[in-house]
């Protein structure tokens, strides 16, 4: 699908120079002399390289068409995570390096959305919020104000996050999967 350079947004996937690029930053510039253009910083999905490119407003760029399918997390081994399509019961496997630290938030039967490009998985989107259990946390220091002070805590899955002083080991908390931040206690 072709789009104008002015329609490029952060997070979009573009087909450019025989590769798939994710848009990291975009800035629309209208100089005093000459035509307007979009300054775009992109990262290659396959090669992990960055590219700064300038597109004139009149140019068209190919937007990558992705297929998004819901899957249920099944299990993991040393290098891969395994997911099952609940409709077809088809299984797909994804390298741990593609998901990164957020893979630690995967729990059995968690529903995720996997984006495919040319039948190859390129990203896994977790639900925005997941419930985790606090394994260990530091003691709260007296005299600190509740509004601005946070203390480090370790979740059951090994991730470290910042939590308010009233959270204790063994508490269940809701975590935002996009930025790995504490939301609330359950």
């Amino acid at each position: 699908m072709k789009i104008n350079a002015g329609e490029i947004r952060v997070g979009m996937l573009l087909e450019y120079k025989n590769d798939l690029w994710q848009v990291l930053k975009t800035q629309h510039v209208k100089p005093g002399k000459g035509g307007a253009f979009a300054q775009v910083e992109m990262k290659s999905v396959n090669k992990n390289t960055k590219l700064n490119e300038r597109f004139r407003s009149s140019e068209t760029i190919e937007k990558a068409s992705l297929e998004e399918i819901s899957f249920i997390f099944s299990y993991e081994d040393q290098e891969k995570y395994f997911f099952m399509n609940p409709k077809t019961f088809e299984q797909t496997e994804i390298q741990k390096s593609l998901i990164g630290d957020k893979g630690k938030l995967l729990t059995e039967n968690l529903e995720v959305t996997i984006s495919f490009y040319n039948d190859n998985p390129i990203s896994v989107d977790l639900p925005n919020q997941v419930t985790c259990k606090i394994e260990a946390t530091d003691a709260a220091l007296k005299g600190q104000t509740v509004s601005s002070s946070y203390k480090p805590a370790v979740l059951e899955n090994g991730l470290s996050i910042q939590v308010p002083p009233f959270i204790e080991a063994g508490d269940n908390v809701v975590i935002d999967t996009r930025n790995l931040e504490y939301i609330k206690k359950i």
Side-chain angles (χ1 to χ4, degrees):
M1 171 175 136
K2 295 264 187 199
I3 59 168
N4 283 334
E7 297 172 10
I8 297 174
R9 300 287 176 257
V10 173
M12 277 186 176
L13 288 167
L14 305 175
E15 293 177 18
Y16 183 68
K17 292 186 177 177
N18 297 324
D19 202 359
L20 190 63
W21 299 88
Q22 182 174 20
V23 177
L24 301 176
K25 292 180 190 172
T26 180
Q27 181 181 11
H28 191 76
V29 181
K30 192 171 181 182
K33 188 175 183 180
F37 60 88
Q39 184 72 36
V40 181
E41 184 179 322
M42 305 179 286
K43 179 182 169 188
S44 172
V45 174
N46 304 319
K47 299 177 191 143
N48 218 14
T49 58
K50 283 188 179 178
L51 176 70
N52 275 311
E53 201 67 45
R54 186 179 284 191
F55 299 105
R56 288 192 303 274
S57 294
S58 57
E59 282 185 78
T60 58
I61 296 98
E62 188 69 31
K63 182 180 175 189
S65 56
L66 298 177
E67 184 180 11
E68 293 183 346
I69 303 173
S70 289
F71 279 85
I72 304 288
F73 174 68
S74 297
Y75 64 97
E76 65 180 288
D77 68 8
Q78 295 297 329
E79 305 100 33
K80 297 177 184 165
Y81 293 112
F82 295 85
F83 299 89
M84 182 186 70
N85 186 328
K87 293 179 183 131
T88 63
F89 301 106
E90 205 175 290
Q91 205 168 12
T92 189
E93 53 191 56
I94 295 179
Q95 293 291 331
K96 285 189 173 183
S97 59
L98 183 70
I99 299 174
D101 277 347
K102 292 186 180 180
K104 293 180 180 177
L105 295 172
L106 290 171
T107 56
E108 196 173 318
N109 297 327
L110 181 71
E111 189 171 325
V112 299
T113 304
I114 300 178
S115 299
F116 289 89
Y117 176 73
N118 292 342
D119 295 330
N120 293 324
I122 59 163
S123 72
V124 176
D125 294 324
L126 277 65
N128 289 343
Q129 299 178 354
V130 295
T131 303
C132 297
K133 190 171 188 175
I134 301 287
E135 187 175 284
T137 183
D138 294 347
L141 299 173
K142 285 201 179 279
Q144 288 184 331
T145 57
V146 174
S147 61
S148 65
S149 65
Y150 278 79
K151 62 183 183 178
V154 178
L155 302 174
E156 272 185 328
N157 55 26
L159 286 175
S160 296
I161 62 166
Q162 295 290 319
V163 295
F166 59 86
I167 299 294
E168 300 295 330
D171 288 347
N172 286 325
V173 294
V174 176
I175 305 296
D176 188 329
T177 60
R178 295 166 291 193
N179 52 19
L180 300 178
E181 288 182 358
Y182 165 87
I183 296 178
K184 65 180 180 181
K185 178 180 173 180
I186 298 178

